[in-house]
Amino acid sequence: MYRQKQQRSIPLTVAAVAALVPLAAACGTEKADGGSGSVGAGKPVTGVQWSIDSVTVDGSTHKAPDSARVLIHESGEAVGSTGCNTFSARADVDGERVRLSDAMFTEKGCTDTPPAFEKSLGRALDADLTAETRGERLTLTTADGDTVELSRPKDASLHGTKWTATSADGKSRTQLTFDKEAKTVAGRLPCNHVNAKATVGDGHITLGAPATTRMMCEGSLMNAEKRILGFFEGRVDYRIDHETLTLTREDGEILRAYADR
């Protein structure tokens, strides 16, 4: 059974049990993890932000909204959105078996998200699922034969995308944009504007000394800004997974930012 944020117990067939979206990450304070997990035949399933394409229940197929996503963290947490409602849940992965439980979700009504899709998806996910990956596609199947079809969406471009990182408490926000022709990165830190040289290699970026404005803000914003500036003046590894950019310093500190559409 899935329950609402107010802790009322509600069947999983309620609309909000859909695709997953990334949580806001703390700016530069996390340690890099060990990478993606896998389900069946060694194919990665956790750590991949899958796009939900459709759900089929009792022989009826319902197309998913374009913004429906699924992401299961290797730590055992799932977070998400149907394109309308969002949720978080516990995710147990054991071999080819996947089980979502203890979900907390919203119950908004959205005109561009068909209720039949959300209801069918809820029913399909409220079961023990068998996961099968085929190249860039993933199928989740129930014992009754209901299926959820997913695919790996195209990654956002490093250059020209406005990447936004928000602290876990929501009080500080950083926005960065990489310019391919100028070989620079520029944007807004929690307090000041910044720009610097940015030379992109194969899986890494060499950042030059940052030039910033000289505004002074409250202590928490300045502390967050100092952590962000710690990623400059050196080489960082980078990875893009759909709309998530992960920068990793040599000491293991990471910064996650999301494409601002």
Side-chain angles (χ1 to χ4, degrees), residues 15 65 81-86 106-116 118:
S81 167
T82 59
C84 173
N85 286 286
T86 61
T106 61
E107 291 188 280
K108 297 185 295 182
C110 302
T111 56
D112 56 351
T113 301
E118 290 193 318

Side-chain angles (χ1 to χ4, degrees), residues 225-236:
E225 184 163 302
K226 182 178 179 181
R227 291 194 294 271
I228 297 296
L229 289 173
F231 284 79
F232 288 77
E233 293 192 71
R235 173 170 162 162
V236 296

Side-chain angles (χ1 to χ4, degrees), residues 48-51 69 136 151-156 241-243:
V48 176
Q49 185 169 235
W50 297 96
S51 173
R69 297 286 184 267
E136 301 299 300
S151 60
R152 187 191 297 266
K154 184 178 179 180
D155 293 337
D241 178 18
H242 182 45
E243 296 185 343

Side-chain angles (χ1 to χ4, degrees), residues 165-247:
T166 305
S167 62
D169 60 12
K171 294 181 179 180
S172 67
R173 182 182 175 100
T174 296
Q175 290 186 318
L176 299 172
T177 302
F178 292 85
D179 188 311
K180 185 175 183 178
E181 297 300 323
K183 296 183 179 180
T184 59
V185 60
R188 181 68 184 263
L189 300 174
C191 181
N192 287 281
H193 292 274
V194 65
N195 64 79
K197 287 292 184 181
T199 303
V200 179
D202 184 13
H204 66 270
I205 306 170
T206 300
L207 296 170
T212 69
T213 54
R214 299 296 182 182
M215 294 186 294
M216 295 297 295
C217 299
E218 64 176 89
S220 62
L221 294 180
M222 298 307 294
N223 289 336
E225 184 163 302
K226 182 178 179 181
R227 291 194 294 271
I228 297 296
L229 289 173
F231 284 79
F232 288 77
E233 293 192 71
R235 173 170 162 162
V236 296
D237 292 332
Y238 84 93
R239 184 180 76 251
I240 297 175
D241 178 18
H242 182 45
E243 296 185 343
T244 302
L245 169 66
T246 303
L247 302 179

Side-chain angles (χ1 to χ4, degrees), residues 50-56 61-62 64 68 70 117 121 124 132 134 136-141 145-152:
W50 297 96
S51 173
I52 294 184
D53 299 324
S54 66
V55 57
T56 300
T61 299
H62 304 275
V70 168
F117 162 72
L121 183 63
E132 180 184 2
R134 302 178 308 283
E136 301 299 300
R137 303 193 63 81
L138 167 67
T139 301
L140 300 176
T141 306
D146 297 333
T147 61
V148 182
E149 296 290 344
L150 311 97
S151 60
R152 187 191 297 266

